[in-house]
Amino acid sequence: MSEGTAASGTPAPEIRVASVPAGHVYVRHCSPPQPDGVRRLADPRPNGAPSISARWWPPVMLQPEWVDAHHRDFDVFHLHFGFDAQSPDRLTALVDALRDHSKPLVYTVHDLRNPHQPGPSAHDAALNVVIPAADRLITLTHGAANTISRRWGRAATVLPHPHVVDLPLLGRARPSRDRFRVGVHAKSLRPNMDVLPVVRVLADTVAGLPDAELQVNIHHEVTDPASPAHDPRLLGELRDLDERGRLTLVAHDYFDDGQLWDYLTSLDLSVLPYRFGTHSGWLEACHDLGTAVAAPDCGFYAQQRPCHTYGHTQDDGLDEESLHKAVLAAHEQRPAPRAAVRHRTRERAAIAAAHRALYTDVLR
């Protein structure tokens, strides 16, 4: 029986999903390349976004008023992320609107701790509304599912993160080089990042390897005194290390997808400088491209894909020796495991089929 076909041989009815968001790469790759009978509504354009914009945040679908006005346009409401700015009261109003119109709620628990918020309380309050109210839960790892079961008494279906890099690029050859390049991308200094302690250890470790180099990337806004992301202390130390030849500091605008894939491919090891978090799309992109990852043990990164792990949590800080050993292991165990096109293709098809089956079940 093919996808989207009922047991009788007649086409199964289309399932319309109000997905928050729909345009994010994770959500797009939860569908197969060919139509499978699940149609995710396009992200409504937020107020102020130009007509040509692909921006989906802040999600318009999170407004109860949108549900009231559009409930005839969808069958299932599927929440992923983007509700950072929603108060518990507004999320409760959204849940109530869905119930008023008999629309099932599916929630994929990507984050048990929001990497964009310095403390856990706001995200916990949101989870305390959404997780008990959801008709079905999905998450990406068994560790996250166990936490959900322990904290809320709810079972979550575990489905892996689909590929991030487009399938045709997965087989692209990596450049050959004699150097071992370690990279830290500090982006715009998200609250879950603790960059300097990690960089100091990496600089010392790389200095002890004859063929290694360290590159640290930041967004231009970190260098702009007028930007909220500006951090003169961090910049001062990174520039000092750069001047002393201990690392190469690169400031740039946000990468588009092509630039990001080129950057990740230029690294042999990408170190995630996180002190809290849950899952990572960055890690998945590295796996797609054959770049090794050193991930902290504060989340469930190591349950996603093969990676090197080091100790780093908000409560206990950085375990410097474990990070040092992770770099040495990545250096010794080259080349890193890489996703195969065939495996990622099968995996994506299975993920899409599981979503369709879950939607079908929740609509019964």
Side-chain angles (χ1 to χ4, degrees), residues 149-239:
S149 176
R150 185 177 66 252
R151 289 179 59 181
W152 290 279
R154 296 294 310 275
T157 300
V158 177
L159 297 176
H161 196 300
H163 65 94
V164 174
V165 178
D166 286 341
L167 290 170
L169 295 178
L170 262 63
R172 185 174 67 174
R174 289 177 60 85
S176 60
R177 53 178 174 269
D178 297 328
R179 305 285 288 172
F180 176 73
R181 180 177 291 171
V182 179
V184 175
H185 200 316
K187 303 182 185 179
S188 297
L189 304 181
R190 289 189 323 200
N192 74 328
M193 291 188 175
D194 197 10
V195 175
L196 284 178
V198 170
V199 167
R200 292 174 191 136
V201 173
L202 295 177
D204 288 343
T205 302
V206 164
L209 296 171
D211 61 342
E213 59 189 11
L214 174 61
Q215 179 175 314
V216 177
N217 285 52
I218 55 173
H219 290 150
H220 272 137
E221 59 189 316
V222 179
T223 70
D224 180 2
S227 170
H230 182 57
D231 189 330
R233 174 176 166 270
L234 177 137
L235 274 175
E237 183 162 345
L238 292 180
R239 285 169 172 164

Coordinates of all heavy atoms in Angstrom, one line a residue, residues 149-239:
S149 N 8.3 12.0 30.2 CA 7.5 11.1 31.0 C 7.7 11.3 32.5 O 6.7 11.3 33.2 CB 8.0 9.6 30.7 OG 7.3 8.7 31.5
R150 N 8.9 11.7 32.9 CA 9.1 11.9 34.3 C 8.5 13.2 34.8 O 7.9 13.2 35.9 CB 10.6 11.9 34.6 CG 11.0 12.0 36.0 CD 12.5 12.0 36.2 NE 13.2 13.1 35.7 CZ 14.0 13.1 34.6 NH1 14.1 12.0 33.9 NH2 14.5 14.2 34.1
R151 N 8.5 14.2 34.0 CA 8.1 15.5 34.5 C 6.6 15.7 34.3 O 5.9 16.4 35.1 CB 8.8 16.7 33.7 CG 10.3 16.8 34.1 CD 11.0 17.9 33.3 NE 10.4 19.2 33.5 CZ 10.8 20.3 32.9 NH1 11.9 20.3 32.1 NH2 10.2 21.5 33.1
W152 N 6.0 15.1 33.2 CA 4.6 15.4 32.9 C 3.8 14.1 32.9 O 2.5 14.2 32.6 CB 4.5 16.2 31.6 CG 5.0 17.6 31.7 CD1 4.3 18.7 32.2 CD2 6.2 18.1 31.3 NE1 5.1 19.8 32.1 CE2 6.3 19.5 31.5 CE3 7.4 17.5 30.7 CZ2 7.4 20.3 31.2 CZ3 8.5 18.3 30.4 CH2 8.5 19.7 30.7
G153 N 4.4 13.0 33.0 CA 3.6 11.8 32.9 C 3.0 11.5 31.5 O 2.0 10.8 31.4
R154 N 3.6 12.0 30.5 CA 3.1 11.9 29.1 C 4.1 11.1 28.3 O 5.3 11.2 28.4 CB 3.0 13.2 28.4 CG 1.9 14.2 29.0 CD 0.5 13.7 28.9 NE 0.2 13.2 27.5 CZ -0.3 14.1 26.6 NH1 -0.4 15.4 26.8 NH2 -0.6 13.6 25.4
A155 N 3.6 10.3 27.4 CA 4.4 9.5 26.4 C 4.6 10.3 25.2 O 3.7 10.9 24.7 CB 3.8 8.2 26.1
A156 N 5.9 10.3 24.7 CA 6.2 11.0 23.4 C 6.7 10.0 22.4 O 7.6 9.2 22.7 CB 7.2 12.1 23.7
T157 N 6.3 10.1 21.2 CA 6.8 9.3 20.1 C 8.2 9.9 19.7 O 8.3 11.1 19.5 CB 5.9 9.4 18.9 OG1 4.6 8.8 19.2 CG2 6.4 8.6 17.7
V158 N 9.2 9.0 19.6 CA 10.5 9.4 19.3 C 10.7 9.3 17.8 O 10.7 8.1 17.3 CB 11.6 8.6 20.1 CG1 13.0 9.1 19.6 CG2 11.4 8.9 21.6
L159 N 11.0 10.4 17.1 CA 11.3 10.4 15.7 C 12.6 11.1 15.5 O 12.7 12.2 16.0 CB 10.1 11.0 14.9 CG 8.8 10.3 14.9 CD1 7.7 11.1 14.1 CD2 8.9 8.9 14.3
P160 N 13.5 10.6 14.7 CA 14.8 11.3 14.6 C 14.7 12.6 13.8 O 13.7 12.8 13.0 CB 15.7 10.3 13.8 CG 14.7 9.4 13.1 CD 13.5 9.3 14.0
H161 N 15.6 13.5 13.9 CA 15.7 14.7 13.2 C 16.0 14.3 11.7 O 17.0 13.6 11.5 CB 16.8 15.6 13.8 CG 16.8 17.0 13.4 ND1 16.9 17.4 12.0 CD2 16.7 18.1 14.1 CE1 16.8 18.7 12.0 NE2 16.7 19.2 13.2
P162 N 15.3 14.8 10.8 CA 15.6 14.6 9.4 C 16.9 15.3 8.9 O 17.4 16.2 9.7 CB 14.4 15.0 8.6 CG 13.8 16.1 9.5 CD 14.1 15.7 10.9
H163 N 17.4 15.0 7.8 CA 18.5 15.7 7.2 C 18.2 17.2 7.2 O 17.1 17.6 7.0 CB 18.9 15.1 5.9 CG 17.9 15.4 4.8 ND1 17.9 16.4 3.9 CD2 16.7 14.7 4.5 CE1 16.8 16.4 3.1 NE2 16.1 15.3 3.4
V164 N 19.3 18.0 7.3 CA 19.2 19.4 7.2 C 19.7 19.9 5.8 O 19.0 20.7 5.2 CB 20.0 20.1 8.3 CG1 20.0 21.6 8.1 CG2 19.4 19.7 9.7
V165 N 20.8 19.4 5.4 CA 21.3 19.8 4.1 C 20.5 19.0 3.0 O 20.1 17.9 3.2 CB 22.8 19.4 4.0 CG1 23.4 19.7 2.6 CG2 23.6 20.1 5.1
D166 N 20.2 19.7 1.9 CA 19.5 19.1 0.8 C 20.2 17.8 0.3 O 21.4 17.8 0.2 CB 19.3 20.1 -0.3 CG 18.2 21.2 0.0 OD1 17.4 20.9 0.9 OD2 18.2 22.2 -0.7
L167 N 19.4 16.8 0.0 CA 19.9 15.5 -0.4 C 21.0 15.5 -1.5 O 22.0 14.8 -1.4 CB 18.8 14.6 -0.7 CG 17.8 14.1 0.4 CD1 16.6 13.4 -0.1 CD2 18.6 13.3 1.4
P168 N 20.8 16.3 -2.5 CA 21.8 16.3 -3.6 C 23.2 16.8 -3.1 O 24.2 16.4 -3.8 CB 21.2 17.3 -4.6 CG 19.8 17.3 -4.4 CD 19.6 17.2 -2.9
L169 N 23.2 17.5 -2.0 CA 24.5 18.0 -1.5 C 25.2 17.0 -0.6 O 26.4 17.2 -0.2 CB 24.4 19.3 -0.8 CG 23.9 20.5 -1.7 CD1 23.8 21.8 -0.8 CD2 24.9 20.8 -2.8
L170 N 24.5 16.0 -0.1 CA 25.1 15.1 0.9 C 26.2 14.3 0.3 O 27.1 13.9 1.1 CB 24.0 14.1 1.4 CG 23.4 14.5 2.7 CD1 22.6 15.8 2.6 CD2 22.4 13.4 3.2
G171 N 26.2 14.0 -1.0 CA 27.3 13.3 -1.6 C 28.5 14.1 -2.1 O 29.4 13.6 -2.7
R172 N 28.4 15.5 -1.8 CA 29.4 16.3 -2.3 C 30.8 16.0 -1.6 O 30.8 15.9 -0.4 CB 29.1 17.8 -2.1 CG 30.0 18.8 -2.7 CD 29.5 20.2 -2.6 NE 29.4 20.7 -1.2 CZ 29.1 21.9 -0.9 NH1 28.8 22.8 -1.8 NH2 29.1 22.3 0.4
A173 N 31.8 15.9 -2.4 CA 33.1 15.6 -1.8 C 33.6 16.7 -0.9 O 33.4 17.9 -1.2 CB 34.1 15.4 -3.0
R174 N 34.2 16.3 0.2 CA 34.9 17.3 1.1 C 36.2 17.7 0.5 O 36.9 16.9 -0.2 CB 35.0 16.7 2.5 CG 33.8 16.5 3.2 CD 34.0 15.9 4.6 NE 34.9 16.7 5.4 CZ 34.5 17.7 6.2 NH1 33.2 18.0 6.3 NH2 35.4 18.3 6.9
P175 N 36.6 19.0 0.7 CA 37.9 19.4 0.3 C 39.0 18.7 1.0 O 38.9 18.4 2.2 CB 38.0 20.9 0.6 CG 37.0 21.1 1.7 CD 35.9 20.0 1.5
S176 N 40.1 18.3 0.3 CA 41.2 17.7 0.9 C 42.2 18.8 1.4 O 42.4 19.8 0.8 CB 42.0 16.8 -0.1 OG 42.4 17.6 -1.2
R177 N 42.7 18.6 2.6 CA 43.7 19.5 3.2 C 44.5 18.8 4.2 O 44.1 17.8 4.8 CB 43.0 20.7 3.8 CG 41.9 20.3 4.9 CD 41.2 21.6 5.5 NE 40.1 21.2 6.3 CZ 38.9 21.1 5.9 NH1 38.6 21.4 4.7 NH2 37.9 20.8 6.8
D178 N 45.7 19.4 4.5 CA 46.6 18.8 5.5 C 46.4 19.3 6.9 O 46.8 18.6 7.8 CB 48.0 19.1 5.1 CG 48.4 18.6 3.7 OD1 47.9 17.5 3.4 OD2 49.2 19.2 3.0
R179 N 45.7 20.4 7.1 CA 45.4 20.9 8.4 C 44.2 20.3 9.0 O 43.3 19.9 8.3 CB 45.3 22.4 8.3 CG 46.5 23.2 7.6 CD 47.7 23.2 8.6 NE 47.5 24.1 9.7 CZ 48.3 24.2 10.7 NH1 49.4 23.4 10.8 NH2 48.1 25.1 11.7
F180 N 44.2 20.4 10.4 CA 43.0 19.9 11.1 C 42.4 21.2 11.7 O 43.0 21.8 12.6 CB 43.4 19.0 12.2 CG 42.3 18.6 13.2 CD1 41.3 17.7 12.7 CD2 42.3 19.0 14.5 CE1 40.3 17.3 13.6 CE2 41.2 18.6 15.3 CZ 40.3 17.8 14.9
R181 N 41.2 21.6 11.2 CA 40.6 22.9 11.6 C 39.5 22.7 12.6 O 38.5 22.0 12.3 CB 40.1 23.7 10.4 CG 39.5 25.0 10.7 CD 39.0 25.8 9.5 NE 40.2 26.3 8.8 CZ 40.1 26.8 7.6 NH1 38.9 27.0 7.0 NH2 41.1 27.2 6.9
V182 N 39.7 23.3 13.7 CA 38.6 23.3 14.8 C 37.9 24.6 14.7 O 38.5 25.7 14.6 CB 39.3 23.1 16.2 CG1 38.2 23.1 17.3 CG2 40.1 21.8 16.2
G183 N 36.6 24.5 14.8 CA 35.8 25.8 14.7 C 34.8 25.9 15.8 O 34.2 24.9 16.3
V184 N 34.6 27.2 16.3 CA 33.6 27.5 17.2 C 32.8 28.7 16.6 O 33.5 29.7 16.2 CB 34.1 28.0 18.6 CG1 33.0 28.5 19.5 CG2 34.9 26.9 19.2
H185 N 31.5 28.5 16.4 CA 30.7 29.6 15.8 C 29.9 30.2 17.0 O 29.0 29.6 17.5 CB 29.8 29.2 14.7 CG 29.3 30.3 13.8 ND1 28.9 31.5 14.3 CD2 29.2 30.4 12.5 CE1 28.5 32.3 13.4 NE2 28.7 31.6 12.2
A186 N 30.3 31.4 17.4 CA 29.6 32.0 18.6 C 28.3 32.7 18.2 O 27.6 33.3 19.0 CB 30.5 33.0 19.3
K187 N 28.1 32.8 16.8 CA 26.9 33.5 16.3 C 26.7 34.8 16.9 O 27.6 35.7 16.9 CB 25.6 32.6 16.6 CG 25.8 31.2 16.0 CD 24.5 30.3 16.2 CE 24.7 28.9 15.7 NZ 23.5 28.1 16.0
S188 N 25.5 35.1 17.5 CA 25.3 36.4 18.2 C 25.2 36.2 19.7 O 24.5 37.0 20.4 CB 24.0 37.0 17.7 OG 24.1 37.3 16.3
L189 N 26.0 35.2 20.2 CA 26.1 35.0 21.7 C 24.7 34.7 22.3 O 24.3 35.4 23.2 CB 26.8 36.2 22.3 CG 28.1 36.6 21.8 CD1 28.7 37.8 22.6 CD2 29.1 35.4 21.8
R190 N 24.1 33.6 21.9 CA 22.9 33.2 22.5 C 23.1 32.9 24.0 O 24.2 32.6 24.4 CB 22.4 31.9 21.9 CG 21.8 32.1 20.5 CD 21.1 30.8 20.0 NE 21.8 29.6 20.4 CZ 21.6 28.4 19.7 NH1 20.8 28.3 18.7 NH2 22.2 27.3 20.1
P191 N 22.1 33.1 24.8 CA 22.2 32.9 26.3 C 22.8 31.6 26.7 O 23.4 31.4 27.7 CB 20.8 33.1 26.8 CG 20.2 34.0 25.8 CD 20.7 33.6 24.5
N192 N 22.6 30.5 25.9 CA 23.1 29.2 26.3 C 24.6 29.0 25.9 O 25.1 27.9 26.2 CB 22.3 28.1 25.6 CG 22.5 27.9 24.2 OD1 22.9 28.8 23.4 ND2 22.4 26.6 23.7
M193 N 25.2 30.0 25.4 CA 26.6 29.9 25.0 C 27.5 30.4 26.1 O 27.3 31.4 26.7 CB 26.9 30.6 23.7 CG 26.3 30.0 22.5 SD 26.9 30.8 21.0 CE 26.1 29.8 19.7
D194 N 28.6 29.7 26.3 CA 29.7 30.1 27.3 C 31.0 30.0 26.5 O 31.7 29.0 26.6 CB 29.7 29.3 28.5 CG 30.4 29.9 29.7 OD1 30.8 31.1 29.5 OD2 30.7 29.3 30.7
V195 N 31.3 31.0 25.7 CA 32.3 30.9 24.6 C 33.7 30.9 25.1 O 34.5 30.1 24.8 CB 32.1 32.0 23.6 CG1 33.2 32.0 22.5 CG2 30.7 31.9 22.9
L196 N 34.1 31.9 26.0 CA 35.5 32.1 26.3 C 36.1 30.9 27.0 O 37.2 30.5 26.7 CB 35.6 33.4 27.2 CG 35.6 34.7 26.4 CD1 35.7 35.9 27.3 CD2 36.7 34.7 25.3
P197 N 35.4 30.3 28.0 CA 36.1 29.1 28.6 C 36.4 28.0 27.6 O 37.4 27.3 27.7 CB 35.1 28.7 29.7 CG 34.3 29.9 30.0 CD 34.2 30.6 28.7
V198 N 35.5 27.8 26.7 CA 35.6 26.8 25.7 C 36.8 27.1 24.8 O 37.7 26.3 24.5 CB 34.3 26.6 24.9 CG1 34.6 25.7 23.6 CG2 33.3 25.9 25.8
V199 N 36.8 28.4 24.3 CA 37.9 28.8 23.4 C 39.3 28.7 24.0 O 40.2 28.3 23.4 CB 37.6 30.2 22.9 CG1 38.8 30.8 22.2 CG2 36.4 30.2 21.9
R200 N 39.4 29.1 25.3 CA 40.7 29.0 26.0 C 41.2 27.6 26.0 O 42.4 27.4 25.7 CB 40.5 29.5 27.4 CG 40.2 31.0 27.5 CD 40.0 31.4 29.0 NE 39.5 32.7 29.1 CZ 38.4 33.1 29.9 NH1 37.8 32.2 30.6 NH2 38.0 34.3 30.0
V201 N 40.4 26.6 26.3 CA 40.8 25.2 26.2 C 41.2 24.8 24.8 O 42.2 24.1 24.6 CB 39.7 24.3 26.8 CG1 40.1 22.8 26.6 CG2 39.5 24.6 28.3
L202 N 40.4 25.2 23.9 CA 40.7 24.8 22.5 C 42.0 25.4 22.0 O 42.7 24.7 21.3 CB 39.5 25.2 21.6 CG 38.2 24.6 21.8 CD1 37.1 25.2 20.9 CD2 38.3 23.1 21.6
A203 N 42.2 26.7 22.4 CA 43.5 27.3 21.9 C 44.7 26.5 22.5 O 45.7 26.3 21.8 CB 43.5 28.8 22.4
D204 N 44.6 26.1 23.8 CA 45.7 25.4 24.4 C 45.8 24.0 23.7 O 47.0 23.5 23.4 CB 45.5 25.2 25.9 CG 45.7 26.5 26.6 OD1 46.3 27.4 26.1 OD2 45.2 26.6 27.8
T205 N 44.7 23.3 23.4 CA 44.8 22.0 22.9 C 45.3 22.0 21.4 O 46.2 21.2 21.0 CB 43.4 21.4 22.9 OG1 42.9 21.3 24.2 CG2 43.4 20.0 22.3
V206 N 44.8 23.0 20.6 CA 45.2 23.1 19.2 C 46.7 23.4 19.2 O 47.4 23.0 18.3 CB 44.4 24.1 18.5 CG1 45.0 24.6 17.2 CG2 43.0 23.6 18.3
A207 N 47.2 24.2 20.1 CA 48.6 24.6 20.1 C 49.5 23.4 20.3 O 50.7 23.4 19.9 CB 48.9 25.6 21.2
G208 N 49.0 22.3 20.9 CA 49.8 21.1 21.1 C 49.7 20.1 19.9 O 50.4 19.1 20.0
L209 N 49.0 20.4 18.9 CA 48.9 19.6 17.7 C 49.6 20.2 16.5 O 49.3 21.4 16.2 CB 47.4 19.3 17.4 CG 46.6 18.6 18.4 CD1 45.1 18.6 18.1 CD2 47.1 17.1 18.6
P210 N 50.5 19.6 15.9 CA 51.4 20.2 14.9 C 50.6 20.7 13.7 O 51.1 21.6 13.0 CB 52.4 19.2 14.6 CG 51.8 17.8 15.0 CD 50.9 18.2 16.2
D211 N 49.5 20.0 13.4 CA 48.8 20.3 12.1 C 47.4 21.0 12.3 O 46.6 20.9 11.4 CB 48.6 19.0 11.3 CG 47.8 18.0 12.0 OD1 47.6 18.1 13.3 OD2 47.3 17.0 11.4
A212 N 47.2 21.5 13.5 CA 45.9 22.0 13.8 C 45.8 23.5 13.9 O 46.8 24.2 14.1 CB 45.4 21.5 15.2
E213 N 44.6 24.0 13.7 CA 44.3 25.5 13.8 C 42.9 25.7 14.3 O 42.0 24.8 14.2 CB 44.4 26.1 12.4 CG 43.5 25.6 11.4 CD 43.8 26.1 10.0 OE1 44.9 26.7 9.8 OE2 43.0 25.9 9.1
L214 N 42.7 26.8 14.9 CA 41.4 27.2 15.6 C 40.8 28.4 14.9 O 41.5 29.4 14.8 CB 41.6 27.4 17.1 CG 40.4 27.9 17.9 CD1 39.2 26.9 17.8 CD2 40.8 28.2 19.3
Q215 N 39.6 28.3 14.5 CA 38.9 29.5 13.9 C 37.6 29.7 14.8 O 36.8 28.8 15.1 CB 38.5 29.2 12.5 CG 37.7 30.3 11.8 CD 37.4 30.1 10.4 OE1 38.3 29.6 9.6 NE2 36.2 30.3 9.9
V216 N 37.4 31.0 15.2 CA 36.2 31.4 15.9 C 35.5 32.4 15.1 O 36.0 33.4 14.6 CB 36.6 32.0 17.3 CG1 35.4 32.5 18.0 CG2 37.4 31.0 18.1
N217 N 34.2 32.1 14.8 CA 33.3 33.0 14.1 C 32.3 33.7 14.9 O 31.8 33.1 15.9 CB 32.6 32.2 13.0 CG 33.5 31.8 11.8 OD1 34.6 31.2 12.0 ND2 33.0 32.1 10.6
I218 N 32.0 34.9 14.6 CA 31.0 35.7 15.3 C 30.2 36.5 14.3 O 30.7 36.8 13.2 CB 31.6 36.7 16.4 CG1 32.6 37.6 15.8 CG2 32.1 35.9 17.6 CD1 33.1 38.7 16.7
H219 N 29.0 36.9 14.6 CA 28.3 37.8 13.8 C 28.7 39.3 14.0 O 29.2 39.6 15.1 CB 26.8 37.7 14.0 CG 26.2 36.4 13.6 ND1 25.1 35.8 14.2 CD2 26.6 35.6 12.5 CE1 24.8 34.7 13.6 NE2 25.7 34.5 12.6
H220 N 28.6 40.1 12.9 CA 29.1 41.5 13.0 C 28.4 42.2 14.2 O 29.0 43.1 14.7 CB 28.8 42.2 11.7 CG 29.8 42.0 10.7 ND1 29.6 41.8 9.4 CD2 31.2 42.1 10.8 CE1 30.8 41.7 8.7 NE2 31.7 41.9 9.6
E221 N 27.2 41.9 14.5 CA 26.5 42.6 15.6 C 27.2 42.5 16.9 O 27.1 43.4 17.8 CB 25.0 42.2 15.7 CG 24.8 40.8 16.0 CD 23.3 40.4 15.9 OE1 22.5 41.2 16.4 OE2 23.0 39.4 15.3
V222 N 28.0 41.5 17.1 CA 28.8 41.3 18.4 C 29.8 42.4 18.4 O 30.3 42.8 19.5 CB 29.4 39.9 18.5 CG1 30.2 39.8 19.8 CG2 28.3 38.9 18.4
T223 N 30.3 42.9 17.3 CA 31.3 43.9 17.2 C 30.8 45.3 17.2 O 31.5 46.3 17.3 CB 32.2 43.7 16.0 OG1 31.5 44.0 14.8 CG2 32.7 42.3 15.9
D224 N 29.5 45.5 17.1 CA 28.8 46.8 17.0 C 28.4 47.3 18.4 O 27.6 46.7 19.0 CB 27.6 46.6 16.1 CG 26.8 47.9 15.9 OD1 27.3 49.0 16.4 OD2 25.8 47.9 15.2
P225 N 29.0 48.4 18.8 CA 28.7 49.0 20.1 C 27.3 49.3 20.3 O 26.8 49.4 21.4 CB 29.6 50.2 20.2 CG 30.8 49.9 19.3 CD 30.1 49.2 18.1
A226 N 26.6 49.6 19.2 CA 25.1 49.9 19.3 C 24.2 48.7 19.3 O 23.0 48.9 19.5 CB 24.8 50.8 18.1
S227 N 24.8 47.5 19.2 CA 23.9 46.3 19.2 C 23.8 45.7 20.6 O 24.7 45.7 21.4 CB 24.5 45.3 18.3 OG 23.9 44.0 18.4
P228 N 22.6 45.2 20.9 CA 22.4 44.5 22.2 C 23.4 43.3 22.4 O 23.6 42.9 23.5 CB 21.0 44.1 22.2 CG 20.3 44.9 21.2 CD 21.3 45.3 20.2
A229 N 23.8 42.8 21.2 CA 24.7 41.6 21.3 C 26.2 42.0 21.5 O 27.0 41.1 21.7 CB 24.6 40.8 20.0
H230 N 26.5 43.3 21.5 CA 27.9 43.7 21.7 C 28.5 43.2 23.0 O 27.8 43.4 24.1 CB 27.9 45.2 21.6 CG 29.3 45.8 21.7 ND1 30.3 45.4 20.8 CD2 29.9 46.7 22.6 CE1 31.4 46.1 21.1 NE2 31.2 46.8 22.2
D231 N 29.7 42.7 23.0 CA 30.3 42.1 24.2 C 31.8 42.5 24.1 O 32.6 41.8 23.6 CB 30.2 40.6 24.2 CG 30.6 40.1 25.6 OD1 31.6 40.6 26.2 OD2 30.1 39.0 26.0
P232 N 32.2 43.7 24.6 CA 33.6 44.2 24.5 C 34.6 43.3 25.2 O 35.7 43.1 24.8 CB 33.5 45.6 25.1 CG 32.3 45.6 25.9 CD 31.3 44.7 25.3
R233 N 34.1 42.7 26.3 CA 35.1 41.8 27.1 C 35.4 40.6 26.2 O 36.6 40.2 26.1 CB 34.5 41.4 28.4 CG 35.3 40.3 29.2 CD 34.7 40.0 30.5 NE 35.3 38.8 31.1 CZ 34.8 37.6 30.9 NH1 33.8 37.4 30.2 NH2 35.4 36.6 31.5
L234 N 34.4 39.9 25.7 CA 34.7 38.8 24.8 C 35.5 39.2 23.6 O 36.5 38.5 23.3 CB 33.4 38.1 24.4 CG 33.5 36.9 23.5 CD1 32.5 35.8 23.9 CD2 33.1 37.4 22.0
L235 N 35.1 40.2 23.0 CA 35.8 40.7 21.8 C 37.3 41.0 22.1 O 38.2 40.6 21.3 CB 35.2 42.0 21.2 CG 34.0 41.8 20.3 CD1 33.5 43.1 19.9 CD2 34.5 41.0 19.0
G236 N 37.5 41.6 23.2 CA 38.9 42.0 23.6 C 39.8 40.7 23.8 O 40.9 40.7 23.3
E237 N 39.3 39.7 24.4 CA 40.1 38.5 24.6 C 40.2 37.7 23.3 O 41.3 37.2 23.0 CB 39.5 37.6 25.6 CG 40.3 36.3 25.9 CD 40.0 35.6 27.2 OE1 39.3 36.2 28.1 OE2 40.4 34.5 27.4
L238 N 39.1 37.6 22.5 CA 39.3 37.0 21.2 C 40.3 37.7 20.3 O 41.1 37.0 19.6 CB 37.9 36.8 20.5 CG 36.9 35.9 21.2 CD1 35.6 35.9 20.3 CD2 37.4 34.5 21.3
R239 N 40.2 39.0 20.2 CA 41.2 39.7 19.4 C 42.6 39.6 19.9 O 43.5 39.5 19.1 CB 40.8 41.2 19.4 CG 39.5 41.5 18.5 CD 39.0 42.9 18.6 NE 37.9 43.1 17.6 CZ 37.1 44.1 17.7 NH1 37.1 45.0 18.8 NH2 36.2 44.3 16.8

